[in-house]
């Protein structure tokens, strides 16, 4: 399958359902959950074949028809991985992301990888919507939550990403050369303690967190010309810990966002156990944005389709729901 050119249109695997009738769907779901034992097949099939906007309309129809909360009813009928997936699909995207961020900061350990994955890959409009949803759902700003849960340079990176202030314009060649110079200096001198390292690090962070994607692509090209190295490779070599992971995620997202998510999905299913949380989060959040492109990157890099990987790694209704979201085998 041919790869879309840089800047080509991204495609999701889930689209508006033709001939959609919210009250008919609400009725079908109500019937599926009535009496003993629910008809999971119907629930699963219906929810995975409607777009998020349509699912919100079904929730409203359900409330006006039965005076009940569809989410609450679903919660009482399904459990485990399937529930996490289906309930995730029922939430508006910004509220879903807000919830995933909240979960990543809950409890004893922080799930840094989830924080990075979400904040490093969402565009300004998505980030702003997440901030509003977070405030609305948890009565606390996302920035405050990140502040109290992370620290140091990593915290500064996350908060910078969470402001949703990335430039939207094209590239500026002269600026790109300067930016590449900063990157070269910070990555070259990572071993030498120089008085100015902190301000360089801050400048490097500012470049990665606030420059537009087209501009950063140019910066990475200038960096190669200047150093003969790929910036991602050097970050991996010279940096460590969460800061390294955050910077690598930004670079990968700028280079090829669907490939970044293909890697995430692959890793969630590699080896002995499955990381159902990551698998679910990526499938739910990309299903209407670029999951079709993610599938293309997946088969190209790993020589097997995402469909096959899911089949080999999950089972039961969870498997069926994931395959429905996947939207086909390549």
């Amino acid at each position: 399958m041919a790869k879309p050119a840089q800047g080509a249109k991204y495609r999701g695997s889930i689209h508006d359902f033709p001939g959609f009738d919210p009250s008919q769907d609400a009725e079908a779901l109500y019937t599926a959950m009535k009496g003993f034992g629910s008809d999971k097949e119907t629930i699963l099939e219906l929810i995975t074949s409607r777009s998020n906007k349509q699912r919100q309309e079904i929730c409203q129809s359900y409330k006006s028809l039965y005076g009940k909360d569809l989410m609450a009813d679903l919660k009482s009928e399904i459990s485990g991985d399937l529930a996490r997936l289906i309930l995730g699909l029922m939430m508006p995207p910004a509220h879903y992301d807000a919830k995933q961020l909240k979960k990543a900061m809950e409890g004893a350990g922080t799930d840094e990888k989830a924080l990075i994955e979400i904040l490093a890959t969402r565009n300004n409009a998505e980030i702003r919507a997440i901030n509003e949803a977070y405030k609305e759902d948890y009565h606390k700003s996302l920035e405050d939550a990140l502040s109290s849960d992370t620290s140091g340079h990593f915290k500064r990176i996350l908060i910078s990403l969470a402001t949703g202030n990335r430039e939207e314009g094209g590239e500026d060649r002269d600026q790109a050369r300067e930016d590449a110079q900063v990157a070269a200096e910070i990555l070259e001198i990572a071993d030498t303690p120089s008085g100015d390292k902190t301000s360089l690090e801050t400048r490097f962070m500012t470049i990665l967190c606030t420059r537009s994607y087209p501009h950063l692509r140019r910066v990475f090209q200038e960096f190669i010309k200047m150093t003969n190295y790929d910036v991602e490779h050097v970050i991996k070599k010279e940096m460590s810990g969460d800061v390294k992971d955050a910077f690598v995620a930004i670079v990968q997202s700028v280079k090829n966002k669907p490939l970044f998510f293909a890697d995430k999905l692959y890793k969630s299913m590699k080896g002995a156990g499955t990381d159902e949380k990551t698998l679910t989060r990526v499938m739910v959040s990309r299903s209407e944005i670029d999951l079709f492109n993610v599938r293309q990157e997946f088969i190209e890099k790993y020589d097997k389709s995402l469909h096959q990987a899911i089949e080999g790694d999950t089972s039961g209704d969870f498997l069926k729901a994931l395959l429905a979201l996947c939207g086909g085998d390549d």
Side-chain angles (χ1 to χ4, degrees):
M1 228 183 268
K3 261 169 83 167
Q6 196 75 60
K9 218 47 214 123
Y10 286 145
R11 275 174 59 190
S13 56
I14 299 287
H15 313 280
D16 280 344
F17 186 76
F20 171 65
D21 177 345
S23 46
Q24 203 179 321
D25 285 353
E27 212 172 305
L29 287 170
Y30 183 73
T31 312
M33 293 188 282
K34 235 173 42 194
F36 289 110
S38 56
D39 171 4
K40 287 206 183 72
E41 209 52 26
T42 300
I43 297 174
L44 191 158
E45 213 163 280
L46 199 147
I47 290 172
T48 56
S49 59
R50 304 298 186 264
S51 67
N52 193 279
K53 196 167 110 306
Q54 291 175 331
R55 293 180 206 125
Q56 304 314 317
E57 289 182 47
I58 297 170
C59 279
Q60 287 163 352
S61 290
Y62 195 89
K63 188 142 213 128
S64 53
L65 285 171
Y66 306 108
K68 298 173 79 175
D69 179 3
L70 177 56
M71 289 287 271
D73 281 3
L74 283 167
K75 247 181 215 154
S76 62
E77 293 293 332
I78 49 179
S79 59
D81 294 325
L82 180 67
R84 208 181 307 157
L85 183 76
I86 295 293
L87 293 168
L89 289 169
M90 293 304 297
M91 294 178 79
H95 289 268
Y96 180 71
D97 279 347
K99 184 178 184 185
Q100 300 308 307
L101 290 168
K102 174 93 162 54
K103 277 190 160 154
M105 294 184 274
E106 262 168 11
T110 304
D111 180 353
E112 292 86 1
K113 291 216 174 352
L115 294 178
I116 293 168
E117 175 202 309
I118 296 169
L119 294 173
T121 59
R122 304 304 192 252
N123 62 34
N124 286 342
E126 288 165 338
I127 293 275
R128 285 171 201 153
I130 292 169
N131 275 296
E132 278 171 41
Y134 200 96
K135 188 113 194 161
E136 192 183 316
D137 295 345
Y138 307 113
H139 312 293
K140 176 178 188 172
S141 77
L142 175 57
E143 186 176 325
D144 286 349
L146 289 167
S147 277
S148 51
D149 204 70
T150 56
S151 60
H153 207 57
F154 181 56
K155 170 171 103 174
R156 296 214 298 278
I157 295 165
L158 293 181
I159 287 176
S160 178
L161 292 171
T163 54
N165 275 335
R166 193 175 283 289
E167 292 157 5
E168 306 263 0
E171 56 181 73
D172 170 340
R173 290 201 164 196
D174 295 337
Q175 183 65 60
R177 275 192 284 274
E178 268 176 52
D179 289 348
Q181 184 61 46
V182 171
E185 279 176 46
I186 181 74
L187 294 168
E188 289 295 325
I189 63 153
D191 307 326
T192 55
S194 107
D196 202 26
K197 176 139 189 287
T198 337
S199 72
L200 261 179
E201 264 188 9
T202 307
R203 278 173 71 193
F204 185 52
M205 178 188 94
T206 305
I207 291 164
L208 285 182
C209 295
T210 64
R211 300 283 196 253
S212 74
Y213 272 32
H215 180 81
L216 282 172
R217 283 188 200 110
R218 167 66 57 191
V219 173
F220 301 160
Q221 286 165 0
E222 294 294 337
F223 185 86
I224 291 176
K225 275 189 214 162
M226 218 173 265
T227 64
N228 284 328
Y229 285 109
D230 174 69
V231 74
E232 182 184 336
H233 175 79
V234 184
I235 292 172
K236 284 177 176 165
K237 198 169 136 290
E238 296 291 349
M239 297 190 154
S240 62
D242 297 328
V243 171
K244 175 190 81 174
D245 291 344
F247 283 159
V248 166
I250 295 169
V251 172
Q252 289 176 339
S253 181
V254 168
K255 284 180 176 176
N256 184 339
K257 202 176 282 187
L259 178 59
F260 171 81
F261 285 112
D263 287 340
K264 277 265 167 205
L265 288 170
Y266 180 76
K267 285 184 188 125
S268 75
M269 294 182 277
K270 202 179 76 178
T274 307
D275 173 2
E276 289 89 0
K277 284 191 176 132
T278 302
L279 177 55
T280 301
R281 188 174 59 239
V282 175
M283 293 295 286
V284 168
S285 63
R286 307 319 290 179
S287 58
E288 285 181 52
I289 299 176
D290 54 8
L291 194 56
F292 180 76
N293 310 81
V294 173
R295 266 168 47 188
Q296 292 181 308
E297 296 294 347
F298 195 97
I299 193 164
E300 195 164 306
K301 180 161 178 185
Y302 298 111
D303 275 337
K304 66 170 166 186
S305 67
L306 177 57
H307 190 281
Q308 287 168 319
I310 291 168
E311 263 184 335
D313 213 72
T314 57
S315 60
D317 291 321
F318 183 50
L319 162 69
K320 282 183 198 152
L322 286 169
L323 290 183
L325 282 188
C326 184
D329 199 352
D330 297 304

